[in-house]
Amino acid sequence: MKIEQLNCFNLQFITHFNDKYSYLDSARLALEGGCKWVQLRMKDASDEEFESVANEVLPLCRQHDAVFLVDDRVELCKKLGADGVHLGKNDMHPADARQILGPDFIIGGTCNTYDDVLRVKDAVDYIGCGPFRYTTTKKNLAPVLGLKGYTDIVWQMRCEGINLPIVAIGGITCDDIPEILNTGVNGIALSGTILNAENPVDETKKILDAIYMSPTRAYLRGDVNEDI
């Protein structure tokens, strides 16, 4: 089941809130737009607040046949029956989380450098790599990577035979997607780009179309000639 889940993570939505929408609203809107991966991220919330929202987001994900991840809270991940957890560089080490969760849960780890990849590679199922550019949706932002940063990390991983999927994150817009995917990353993670759009559902659909129609994905599907 985990392999099937990892094969569908073109777009991961990370919950956020604004003046119009709550964390729950944000997840619902992304799911209605066709997103199949939702990460519930509520850094400043108590465990009780987090669990309350998670108990509403989880059934929504199940209704939409979507993967449900929680941010950071490993014990809650297990208690809730989520599909997995995403761990930042200052959170529990993924190896310790694996000891708690076992092999059947998805574990993602945040990386900003190739050294970060080496630190977590044996314990994670995918890497969240960024930021692509400056973003206001995350505190204590790491140095931005840009296209060259992704290209360098992907190249180093391939040279060393590290085949973990990579999700690009951080200030990404729909227009950035073709070039980012061309670096070799496997998926895109978004938050404010979707939630702050005039119509978040339509924006999610637009982003999924951009991922599907990107030259890199078209080549992998065999929709274009090899010399394109």
Side-chain angles (χ1 to χ4, degrees):
M1 179 61 177
K2 185 194 292 186
I3 296 300
E4 294 175 1
Q5 291 170 321
L6 288 169
N7 283 339
C8 73
F9 78 158
N10 292 339
L11 172 64
Q12 184 180 129
F13 177 72
I14 301 174
T15 61
H16 197 48
F17 71 96
N18 59 21
D19 292 339
K20 292 175 64 177
Y21 304 116
S22 67
Y23 288 110
L24 176 60
D25 292 332
S26 73
R28 175 180 54 79
L29 292 165
L31 290 166
E32 288 178 1
C35 180
K36 293 299 183 182
W37 272 62
V38 171
Q39 179 193 144
L40 181 59
R41 187 177 190 272
M42 299 172 60
K43 280 294 187 186
D44 297 326
S46 66
D47 281 351
E48 291 75 18
E49 292 169 326
F50 189 98
E51 186 172 358
S52 176
V53 176
N55 281 327
E56 295 187 85
V57 175
L58 177 56
L60 279 178
C61 288
R62 296 292 180 256
Q63 290 169 25
H64 289 270
D65 195 26
V67 174
F68 176 60
L69 302 182
V70 302
D71 175 71
D72 182 13
R73 306 172 199 237
V74 175
E75 296 289 354
L76 264 181
C77 171
K78 191 171 186 178
K79 177 182 178 181
L80 292 164
D83 295 300
V85 63
H86 185 89
L87 298 168
K89 292 170 67 173
N90 296 320
D91 297 334
M92 180 186 293
H93 191 283
D96 295 327
R98 184 65 72 196
Q99 290 293 319
I100 295 169
L101 295 175
D104 295 329
F105 285 80
I106 297 168
I107 297 178
T110 295
C111 295
N112 179 251
T113 66
Y114 179 64
D115 285 342
D116 291 338
V117 175
L118 295 178
R119 184 180 68 88
V120 303
K121 66 180 180 67
D122 294 325
V124 299
D125 298 296
Y126 77 91
I127 290 166
C129 193
F132 172 64
R133 66 162 59 90
Y134 178 77
T135 174
T136 60
T137 58
K138 187 172 182 179
K139 299 176 181 177
N140 303 316
L141 197 67
V144 298
L145 290 173
L147 294 173
K148 185 179 186 304
Y150 287 124
T151 302
D152 290 347
I153 290 173
V154 169
W155 177 254
Q156 289 175 293
M157 289 175 64
R158 287 179 177 173
C159 286
E160 295 301 322
I162 302 171
N163 296 314
L164 291 168
I166 303 170
V167 180
I169 185 172
I172 296 168
T173 69
C174 189
D175 291 340
D176 297 319
I177 288 171
E179 286 189 316
I180 292 176
L181 291 178
N182 197 44
T183 68
V185 305
N186 307 88
I188 304 292
L190 296 173
S191 185
T193 296
I194 288 176
L195 192 61
N196 296 327
E198 183 175 348
N199 186 319
V201 174
D202 287 348
E203 185 70 14
T204 304
K205 293 176 181 178
K206 177 183 173 183
I207 288 162
L208 287 167
D209 285 343
I211 293 171
Y212 183 78
M213 296 304 296
S214 69
T216 303
R217 293 300 166 88
Y219 175 77
L220 291 173
R221 292 194 307 271
D223 293 347
V224 297
N225 295 325
E226 288 188 10
D227 57 352
I228 294 180

